[in-house]
Amino acid sequence: MLITTPVGSREAVVAVCRPLPEERRTVTVLFVDIVGSTRLVERLDPEDVRALQRAYFGTVASVLRRWRGVVEKYVGDAVMALFGASASDGFDAYRAVRAGLDIQAALDRRRPGGIRLRVRVGVATGEVLLDLACAHDGGHGAASGAVITTAARLQEHAPPGGVVVCPVTRDAVAGLVEQRPLATMTLAGKSLPLDVWRVTGTAGRRPARHRAPLVGRRRELATAAEEVTAALRQRRPRWISLVGPPGSGRSRLLHEVIRAVSRVDGVPVCRRVAYCPPYPAGELAPLADLLRTRVEALHPLPGAAVADGPGGGALAAFLAAPHDDTAAARAVVACREALLGLATEAPVVVAVDDLDRAAPALRRFLRQLHVAASDRGLPLAVVTTYGSGSADPLPAPGTRRIPLRPLGPLETGRLLRHLLGRAGRPPALAARLLPLAGGSPAVATAYALTDPADEPAGVPAAARRLVDARMDRLDGTHRAVLMAGAARGGPVAAATVEAMLGWPAGRATPVLRALAVAGLLRPAATGGWTVEPLVGRVAAHRLSRAVRADFARRLRAVSEGGDIGAPDAVADGDRVAARAGLRAVGVAGTPGAVAGGGHAAARAAGAGAGRHPARVPEDTAAGFAPAAGTGVPTWDTDERGIFPLGAGRSRRSGGGARPAPVPPDRGDALRAMPGLPARAGPAAGDLTAWPGWRTVPLPGAAARPEGVGRARRRAGPGGYAPGLAA
């Protein structure tokens, strides 16, 4: 029997969580329970039991909050928590496993009432249907799905003091934690045996194994290697940043840059490499890897700097306990002097992978190291990688930012064919996988090495984690528009989205343009917007059947001229787009399918359909969602636009001229729809026959054909601002 959480008033949930009340989400469920609680409470006084429970629940809840888990419910002495319920960062399973390990350690340290509590922890990852309005502590998140039962059963079979994970969770945290397999178990209610693993701790840094060839990065590799070589040869330290979204191959490029610069003018280069794991245990823990690494045996750390020099004792203590922030703070100066001492003997390259995950203390240390090396004229170069949405760690002279663009179709095809051949799969699959890869090496690898037929939405788990993280960086409004466009399939017009969400006319257009800037949409050649193929699959799959049925009902009501309960009625001229969208959405709604008539719907959408789409910057194709403060507008609960500085807030808030869409040519569109009554009005294109309309020629329009390149303006108060005619 599935374990579910009942919800209260459905109307209250919808009212709080518009526009989308629920989603199908991939979450990680953690179950923790006390070992031998029945025998324990039988020998304690009720007041002691209450004190013990308060200490236990308080300790568990504090650890879960620190790891951004949501306490979904308390079941007796058991606690159930969800990770990735409200937002996913791509490391939901890792956070859940780390929370399980920390719960064990915290209970061992605290020992309420002098009693040592032993707990079992089970962690499982899978798909649930989640009410978004209830995804908070104690809110009973209304999560329903078989994965909840799986986590509860795993907890029952875990050893005392152990953390047990399912196969999906095991794959998600591979390389980040230490795991060992347990015996295959048959869980109650499961028809097939389940392979389980026990997590014993966090994993140390292992050198990454890069088996695939480096494809499409020759220019970036040559540029980075040239910058590093020049900095070492001229003794002018430089900071080189390799910037790209997750999955763009920035770690692989860093590895190749370090390999390429092995000697400068015949002198061996000392290369020190550190890796920043997600949610590091210590602020300066990766710094210990820089000091321990001996990639070049010819250049070990100077012995005096470690043992006998100034601060040598503090440095030795830090290397013995790198997760101790107090010891790390005392050894900062000694660490910096040790690396500068290496640079006096030989050229040094300091490489730090995934710097955007690091604590501010590590970034500050690298900046101080770069400045000190510049003041002393030492041959030192700092090479880092970080995400596209992060600010430059050293925005100053002596830096070079190298962006990683998506691979082109030829490079992606070459990579897919190589990976498919290595996996023993037909190379002909590359043509079908090419649009889904989207120029991302990580997505191409996931599709080539695994068969996603049994995965949700037919998307490999690794690729889906990337897309989920991108989508969850959006606010609710932008995510709802993206999911509506994905359910529509094919080119989607602003009017169609507004009809599906019950919005007033004009609200979806700026949201669609912001999604295009974020690299999630692209302008369609025939008008409107098209969702990126992989994003469309994941976004459409996250819609529940109830939301799909609501979309279909709204489109049907607009096409039939009925009232759908929207704040403002959709314009009559938009019914053409709504009717075409209804055929595409349906209740089942095949993800990513291009329905017949989609291009006609985009052309007939008229106002706000994206006839003149915003120009997408060149670097947005890399596929990253804008973070806070990047210009993506949001809407508050009172439907008021919230725009960042410099986004033209005075126009959008009502002060000054408000650009409006070009009025649609309603004549042909309405007459072409079967079943609609004939309407009286001027012939198609005869704007002068409409009351209050006049044609205003643009400057220099005398040499143009009649009716082309002119501006149309509605005379009288409340009219339209100038707009180009199609």
Side-chain angles (χ1 to χ4, degrees):
M1 178 178 179
L2 298 183
I3 299 177
T4 62
T5 301
V7 296
S9 169
R10 179 68 180 175
E11 291 75 15
V13 173
V14 175
V16 175
C17 204
R18 290 293 298 269
L20 296 183
E22 59 187 15
E23 287 185 15
R24 299 171 64 101
R25 299 184 65 93
T26 298
V27 301
T28 299
V29 183
L30 179 144
F31 245 94
V32 55
D33 197 5
I34 300 176
V35 178
S37 59
T38 302
R39 294 191 303 270
L40 180 63
V41 299
E42 283 182 352
R43 60 185 180 86
L44 294 178
D45 184 80
E47 294 185 12
D48 296 333
V49 173
R50 174 62 60 86
L52 183 65
Q53 287 178 334
R54 286 179 175 174
Y56 162 68
F57 287 131
T59 301
V60 173
S62 64
V63 173
L64 293 174
R65 282 194 299 268
R66 187 168 70 248
W67 288 102
R68 293 168 50 197
V70 174
V71 178
E72 207 264 7
K73 65 170 62 123
Y74 296 93
V75 186
D77 295 326
V79 181
M80 171 185 163
L82 304 177
F83 292 82
S86 57
S88 173
D89 60 355
F91 297 101
D92 306 324
Y94 177 71
R95 288 188 286 112
V97 171
R98 289 290 304 272
L101 295 173
D102 284 1
I103 287 172
Q104 305 279 11
L107 292 175
D108 287 342
R109 290 193 306 267
R110 185 168 185 178
R111 297 198 177 191
I115 300 174
R116 183 186 183 187
L117 292 179
R118 302 284 286 173
V119 296
R120 298 185 178 96
V121 179
V123 181
T125 302
E127 195 173 35
V128 299
L129 180 65
L130 185 73
D131 276 87
L132 300 179
C134 302
H136 56 81
D137 280 346
H140 290 283
S144 302
V147 64
I148 300 175
T149 307
T150 302
R153 298 291 180 261
L154 284 175
Q155 175 271 136
E156 296 173 355
H157 290 78
V163 178
V164 174
V165 300
C166 70
V168 180
T169 306
R170 182 254 180 189
D171 293 339
V173 299
L176 299 175
V177 297
E178 298 288 350
Q179 306 177 78
R180 62 182 181 87
L182 299 179
T184 301
M185 299 180 182
T186 301
L187 305 182
K190 295 291 184 180
S191 58
L192 298 176
L194 188 68
D195 295 331
V196 297
W197 283 261
R198 180 178 180 179
V199 178
T200 58
T202 57
R205 172 59 173 162
R206 297 187 180 94
R209 293 182 296 176
H210 302 287
R211 300 175 180 176
L214 184 67
V215 177
R217 299 298 186 203
R218 291 184 178 180
R219 179 176 300 178
E220 292 87 348
L221 175 59
T223 302
E226 181 181 354
E227 291 286 340
V228 173
T229 302
L232 301 180
R233 178 177 292 126
Q234 301 172 9
R235 305 178 71 87
R236 299 178 60 183
R238 294 188 64 83
W239 186 307
I240 298 94
S241 300
L242 309 178
V243 185
S248 60
R250 60 194 187 193
S251 298
R252 172 63 188 277
L253 181 59
L254 177 65
H255 173 75
E256 296 296 335
V257 170
I258 296 173
R259 287 184 53 191
V261 185
S262 59
R263 289 177 174 271
V264 174
D265 297 334
V267 179
V269 175
C270 176
R271 298 169 287 186
R272 299 283 167 168
V273 184
Y275 163 75
C276 299
Y279 305 99
E283 292 187 351
L284 292 173
L287 180 58
D289 294 334
L290 289 178
L291 301 176
R292 290 199 192 100
T293 302
R294 295 185 59 176
V295 179
E296 297 293 338
L298 296 177
H299 299 286
L301 282 174
V306 177
D308 303 328
L315 182 57
F318 168 61
L319 294 178
H323 301 306
D324 187 348
D325 291 337
T326 302
R330 295 173 180 171
V332 166
V333 176
C335 293
R336 183 171 63 247
E337 292 302 322
L339 292 174
L340 293 175
L342 285 178
T344 60
E345 300 176 1
V348 174
V349 175
V350 176
V352 181
D353 195 9
D354 293 323
L355 186 61
D356 48 348
R357 302 176 183 172
L362 181 59
R363 304 182 189 183
R364 185 165 54 251
F365 173 86
L366 293 176
R367 286 196 297 268
Q368 295 171 353
L369 176 67
H370 181 270
V371 171
S374 300
D375 294 340
R376 303 182 189 183
L378 298 177
L380 184 142
V382 178
V383 187
T384 63
T385 67
Y386 60 91
S388 303
S390 305
D392 287 335
L394 186 64
T399 64
R400 179 66 185 271
R401 186 177 188 270
I402 302 177
L404 274 65
R405 311 294 185 189
L407 299 179
L410 294 178
E411 291 83 1
T412 307
R414 286 175 51 201
L415 180 61
L416 282 170
R417 287 191 295 271
H418 174 85
L419 294 172
L420 289 169
R422 196 180 72 185
R425 304 179 65 189
L429 289 176
R432 183 170 62 86
L433 300 178
L434 184 61
L436 297 173
S440 170
V443 175
T445 303
Y447 267 106
L449 300 183
T450 60
D451 185 3
D454 297 331
E455 298 284 349
V459 177
R464 182 169 181 173
R465 286 194 295 269
L466 294 175
V467 177
D468 282 339
R470 292 179 61 191
M471 291 182 58
D472 288 345
R473 284 196 292 267
L474 304 172
D475 59 21
T477 299
H478 289 73
R479 190 163 65 243
V481 171
L482 179 65
M483 295 169 71
R488 162 67 175 85
V492 62
T496 305
V497 173
E498 290 158 1
M500 297 170 72
L501 298 174
W503 284 358
R507 180 175 174 182
T509 300
V511 180
L512 289 168
R513 291 175 178 170
L515 291 173
V517 172
L520 298 169
L521 302 180
R522 61 170 178 261
T526 56
W529 307 89
T530 302
V531 184
E532 292 293 334
L534 179 61
V535 176
R537 285 196 176 191
V538 176
H541 183 78
R542 286 173 65 163
L543 290 170
S544 65
R545 291 195 299 266
V547 174
R548 291 179 184 276
D550 188 60
F551 283 168
R553 179 184 64 82
R554 289 177 177 273
L555 288 174
R556 187 180 301 111
V558 173
S559 64
E560 296 173 356
D563 183 9
I564 61 175
D568 296 322
V570 181
D572 293 339
D574 295 335
R575 294 178 186 170
V576 179
R579 181 168 295 181
L582 179 62
R583 294 195 299 267
V585 176
V587 176
T590 303
V594 179
H599 300 300
R603 290 193 298 269
R611 291 185 177 181
H612 306 285
R615 180 173 296 177
V616 180
E618 182 181 355
D619 59 349
T620 58
F624 60 89
T630 55
V632 177
T634 59
W635 298 83
D636 62 7
T637 56
D638 297 327
E639 302 298 325
R640 295 174 299 183
I642 301 175
F643 297 84
L645 292 175
R649 294 184 295 179
S650 60
R651 291 176 176 261
R652 293 175 173 84
S653 61
R658 181 183 180 90
V662 178
D665 186 359
R666 304 182 179 182
D668 285 344
L670 294 178
R671 293 187 182 92
M673 292 303 300
L676 289 181
R679 290 174 177 256
D686 187 7
L687 296 177
T688 59
W690 287 95
W693 284 89
R694 60 189 175 91
T695 302
V696 181
L698 289 172
R704 302 178 183 176
E706 184 65 24
V708 177
R710 297 179 178 273
R712 293 182 285 186
R713 181 188 300 269
R714 185 179 179 89
Y720 287 93
L724 293 178

